[in-house]
Amino acid sequence: MSTRPIDDRVVVVRPACMADRAALEELAALTMPGVHTLPRTRDKIEAAIVRSIASFAADVDMPSEESYLFVLEELTGLGASASSRVIGTAAIFAAAGSNGTYFSFRNDVIQQVSRDLNISHSVHALTLCSELTGYSQLSGFCLQDLAHAGLEAALLSRARLLFAALAPQRFGDRFFVPLAGITDPDGQSPFWDAVGRKFFQMDFLEAERVIGGARNRTLIVELMPHYPVYVPLLPGAAQAAMGQIHPSGELPFHLLTEEGFEADDYIDIFDGGPILQAHKQALRSFTGSMLRRVAASDPAPPEAYESAMTYAIATGTGADFRAVIGCCAALEAAPEINLPQHLQQALGVVAGESVTCVRI
């Protein structure tokens, strides 16, 4: 099967390098209220890149403290006139809480019974838990122009999971993603005001700055309530915010649920945003990916693509990882994929080598 470029613009997801630091600083400066784990300062960005480079280079037998930082790079033009720019970033942690414990609130139902009064009812409660510790965590999804994002958003979101499918020994069997919760125009969270503020004695934005987006600090277990929080006792605004997504998280939520992630069991302890989770066998990047050999032939003419499918195409299990978008006829019954030269170059592959494809 043969792919064709949609235009002269190619987007590729690759591991971040130190040359991306300035571009990542620009992305961090964007207003992305719910991206808890996006490094915001130059020092933290440099540290994240250094840690990621070491993680990609490591010979890993089982997931531990590794974190993998990716960038979405836009390549335009060919030859001497070619240009490139970083327009997005995303990350994945091999094991959340590997250097501590990852905390979240679990949605529970407490049954209460009085035989004397013949009364029985259920009460919704939140319980501080560490059950997501050790899961692999998707994080830091950020696009320069999220409001007008197209297929590049799907590629950036899915590329991390394709990397996990290509290098399964680097990750756990379960994955989760915390998404942005509801905040008002001033950046304040009704859920935090009702719960966290009572124990931290600071507003939401200050708390996020102090904790740096982490959910595994010792001070969380020191300060947050250890007994169930009875939801009916919370103000109406806080109850309404539980499990709800900030507008900036609607596209990531759609992409992740389409991938196979599900919500409802856990919410974030700070803003009450939903935490999506899934076993890898429920995710399309694992169950729907196909290994195809690259064939050397010219792309088919545009009229051959009336029923074309769009795929994320990836290769590499370390620092050589690359992922691009390709448009072609269905690959399910085809042993080969004909990649145009510019996509072969973007992936770093030649005819006869194999790539992994999954439908977007």
Side-chain angles (χ1 to χ4, degrees), residues 178-197:
L179 292 180
I182 295 295
T183 53
D184 65 21
D186 295 325
Q188 298 304 314
S189 162
F191 183 81
W192 173 261
D193 288 342
V195 181
R197 180 192 285 273

Side-chain angles (χ1 to χ4, degrees), residues 78-98:
L78 300 171
S81 63
S83 62
S84 67
R85 66 187 184 113
V86 170
I87 59 172
T89 185
I92 180 170
F93 297 115
S98 59

Side-chain angles (χ1 to χ4, degrees), residues 4 27 58 110 144 149 190 202 204 219 241 251-252 261 278 292 310:
R4 66 174 175 88
L27 287 170
I110 297 177
Q144 192 172 74
M202 61 183 72
F204 176 66
L219 62 87
L251 176 58
F261 283 92
R292 294 294 181 266
T310 304

Side-chain angles (χ1 to χ4, degrees), residues 22-32 38-40 71-72 86-89 142-145:
L24 290 172
E25 284 186 65
E26 291 181 14
L27 287 170
L30 298 176
T31 303
M32 297 288 288
L38 182 67
R40 305 277 182 176
V71 295
L72 178 69
V86 170
I87 59 172
T89 185
C142 180
L143 273 172
Q144 192 172 74
D145 189 6

